Amino acid sequence: KDRQRTSPARKPGIQKSKKRAAIDELAESKTIFGLTTYDACIFGCMAINATTKGSIASFETLGIQFAQEQIGLSSAEAGAIVATCGSLGAISLLCLGHISKYMNDVGMIIWF
């Protein structure tokens, strides 16, 4: 049996908005693979995540090698730069909820 999506408890007598009802209906509809649309999206995101891990990691590794050979940085300096950029990326991801109050999706893509 397919798992059921959980949602917050509703107070008695309060109806879903038309928009929320339409979103829920689409999420629960079945795809040609027999999965709900919601489950298919989760599966697709997991597949993209798994397939891009290796390519991104190889660029990070080759970036260190490039910095050492072409720019003349030591491994410690190159590692510090990569670690700083990774930390800034993690901080920006943690702040996206707050930033989304001030910027729309397109603005966040352009600036981040």
Side-chain angles (χ1 to χ4, degrees):
K1 180 180 174 184
D2 194 20
R3 67 180 173 79
Q4 296 296 315
R5 291 179 54 204
T6 59
S7 59
R10 296 194 171 274
K11 294 179 182 175
I14 297 178
Q15 297 291 326
K16 289 182 181 179
S17 68
K18 289 181 182 178
K19 182 177 180 180
R20 172 53 53 195
I23 290 170
D24 288 346
E25 183 180 341
L26 177 62
E28 294 298 327
S29 64
K30 296 284 185 178
T31 63
I32 59 172
F33 303 109
L35 298 171
T36 63
T37 304
Y38 178 82
D39 289 337
C41 289
I42 296 291
F43 180 77
C45 289
M46 287 174 34
I48 289 170
N49 188 17
T51 58
T52 59
K53 288 276 187 207
S55 60
I56 292 172
S58 67
F59 284 121
E60 289 174 354
T61 305
L62 291 174
I64 297 290
Q65 185 178 4
F66 177 82
Q68 289 175 326
E69 293 176 0
Q70 302 295 323
I71 301 174
L73 294 176
S74 70
S75 61
E77 291 171 324
I81 291 170
V82 169
T84 302
C85 291
S87 297
L88 291 173
I91 290 168
S92 68
L93 285 173
L94 292 172
C95 295
L96 281 181
H98 181 69
I99 294 169
S100 68
K101 295 176 185 174
Y102 304 102
M103 300 177 90
N104 62 15
D105 293 343
V106 175
M108 287 192 288
I109 290 170
I110 292 172
W111 288 100
F112 294 101

